[in-house]
Amino acid sequence: MLLEVKNLKTEFKMRKGIVKAVDDVSFSIDQGKVLAVVGESGSGKSVTSLSIMGLLQDPGKVTGGEVLFKGEDLLQKNKKEMQAIRGHHISMIFQEPMTSLNPVYKIKDQLTESIMLHMKLSKKEALERAVEMLELVGIPSARERADEYPHQMSGGMRQRVMIAMALACNPELLIADEPTTALDVTIQAQILELLGEMRKKFNMAVLLITHDLGVVSETADRVVVMYCGKVMENAEVKEIFANPLHPYTNGLLKSIPSLEDDSEEPLYMIRGMVPNPLKMPSGCPFSDRCEKCMERCRQEMPDLVDIGGHEVRCFMYSGEKEEA
């Protein structure tokens, strides 16, 4: 097992109370596999990735759990040890490349910095490696483009630069946080294809954070569905699409428009809104929006139960166990 997240808890201490952004989250990723984490905005996906990377800003703080990378707990590492791991063993593609790339530095300077730090190469060797990576991710005239600033590139090109930067030191785990956000459909397909090629080339694991279930169906091996900081469902990608158990997962799948659907019915929409994180309901966080809500759901938090390798947090399945 390459990465194991066990009972991770991350909180933000606010003036009006404590926000449990990540609440008892567990999952694992094998070498070379793709795990997708899906859910609406505010479900805790990005905070989970930042907690793993040790990049939380105040007032965010990891308050419990373990993040085991090759058996070592990253939460016990000091700042210097994490700097040696980030960019080398674990890399991250951030959600918006224009804000992630420094606008006052040329592309080559931003690429060569981490290469020189982690691979101990000279500046000339690092530049050659940077150009090689830009060519690898499909940027034409890579040597000339390396001499440009981020604002001189299109959104798709900047995203390719971010991928080149993330892969420059041959990481074992890549965290991709909404890697196709704000890109048009054609560029999205190119970026996803590129990530797939790079994963196979380097045999790296990928933690893909997205709200796009179409992307998930094409790229992931396993899916974790999050809602209000909790894991609601965790299963193989084929199982999630063929046999979704949680009402929230069902709602997400029913919300996807289909080219084969010729009915005149309006597109399905999950009713209600995500609850205020400072005023969470006492029971299941999805209870107010759930079409199958029982009285028990409003009073108690269901456990995450394992039904033959398919985990689900719902009282409809609380009587079933792995042997079922």
Side-chain angles (χ1 to χ4, degrees):
M1 196 67 65
L2 184 67
L3 179 74
E4 286 185 89
V5 176
K6 296 183 177 181
N7 309 112
L8 182 65
K9 296 181 180 181
T10 302
E11 298 178 350
F12 288 80
K13 193 172 183 180
M14 317 297 283
R15 283 188 303 160
K16 294 183 178 180
I18 294 176
V19 174
K20 294 181 179 180
V22 178
D23 192 3
D24 200 27
V25 167
S26 299
F27 57 79
S28 60
I29 313 175
D30 286 319
Q31 185 75 44
K33 297 296 184 179
V34 179
L35 175 75
V37 180
V38 303
E40 293 170 276
S41 296
S43 60
K45 307 185 300 296
S46 293
V47 176
T48 299
S49 67
L50 293 173
S51 301
I52 293 170
M53 292 289 284
L55 293 173
L56 280 173
Q57 300 287 325
D58 282 336
K61 186 178 181 182
V62 176
T63 58
E66 297 176 298
V67 177
L68 302 177
F69 181 69
K70 297 197 293 187
E72 296 185 11
D73 191 357
L74 298 183
L75 301 181
Q76 303 303 318
K77 302 285 185 184
N78 59 38
K79 188 176 180 180
K80 188 175 181 180
E81 289 172 328
M82 281 305 297
Q83 284 176 340
I85 291 171
R86 283 195 298 263
H88 189 196
H89 300 285
I90 306 176
S91 285
M92 186 168 180
I93 302 170
F94 293 93
Q95 203 167 123
E96 175 46 63
M98 194 60 205
T99 55
S100 301
L101 293 168
N102 194 319
V104 300
Y105 287 99
K106 292 181 177 181
I107 297 300
K108 65 180 182 182
D109 296 324
Q110 299 186 57
L111 272 167
T112 55
E113 182 182 12
S114 64
I115 295 171
M116 288 190 291
L117 175 66
H118 295 298
M119 301 183 77
K120 310 300 180 186
L121 300 179
S122 66
K123 191 168 184 178
K124 184 179 179 181
E125 291 171 327
L127 179 58
E128 291 303 313
R129 173 67 175 170
V131 171
E132 178 190 338
M133 290 306 300
L134 291 176
E135 289 173 343
L136 195 63
V137 298
I139 293 182
S141 306
R143 196 171 296 277
E144 289 74 26
R145 301 310 293 267
D147 212 36
E148 294 181 352
Y149 292 92
H151 73 271
Q152 295 176 280
M153 292 185 162
S154 66
M157 285 294 184
R158 288 195 294 267
Q159 194 65 289
R160 288 173 185 270
V161 169
M162 286 296 299
I163 294 171
M165 191 179 296
L167 301 182
C169 300
N170 300 333
E172 295 158 89
L173 171 65
L174 175 68
I175 300 176
D177 188 359
E178 303 277 10
T180 57
T181 297
L183 299 176
D184 65 57
V185 179
T186 306
I187 303 301
Q188 279 188 26
Q190 292 175 3
I191 294 299
L192 290 172
E193 185 179 355
L194 174 62
L195 282 174
E197 290 172 359
M198 296 299 101
R199 176 178 70 85
K200 292 175 183 176
K201 184 177 179 67
F202 296 109
N203 190 34
M204 65 182 179
V206 178
L207 175 59
L208 176 66
I209 296 167
T210 182
H211 61 268
D212 190 334
L213 286 166
V215 169
V216 171
S217 66
E218 294 177 14
T219 58
D221 296 299
R222 195 170 181 89
V223 185
V224 170
V225 180
M226 288 185 67
Y227 185 78
C228 293
K230 285 191 170 291
V231 172
M232 292 298 178
E233 195 161 355
N234 182 350
E236 297 287 336
V237 65
K238 290 180 181 178
E239 178 71 9
I240 282 282
F241 280 85
N243 183 34
L245 299 181
H246 200 282
Y248 179 57
T249 309
N250 260 300
L252 291 177
L253 290 171
K254 284 160 66 177
S255 301
I256 303 173
S258 172
L259 293 173
E260 298 174 0
D261 186 6
D262 56 358
S263 72
E264 296 182 3
E265 292 292 318
L267 187 65
Y268 179 84
M269 181 178 67
I270 301 174
R271 67 183 183 183
M273 301 285 289
V274 177
N276 184 333
L278 290 169
K279 297 178 182 178
M280 293 294 292
S282 56
C284 174
F286 190 61
S287 58
D288 287 342
R289 307 177 70 188
C290 184
E291 296 175 352
K292 298 183 178 180
C293 178
M294 301 176 283
E295 187 57 36
R296 184 184 182 188
C297 303
R298 301 185 188 279
Q299 308 298 328
E300 306 172 44
M301 176 67 73
D303 293 326
L304 192 67
V305 296
D306 191 326
I307 306 168
H310 189 150
E311 296 179 339
V312 61
R313 188 185 299 278
C314 184
F315 284 125
M316 290 192 295
Y317 309 95
S318 59
E320 301 181 47
K321 298 297 179 185
E322 192 168 355
E323 296 76 32

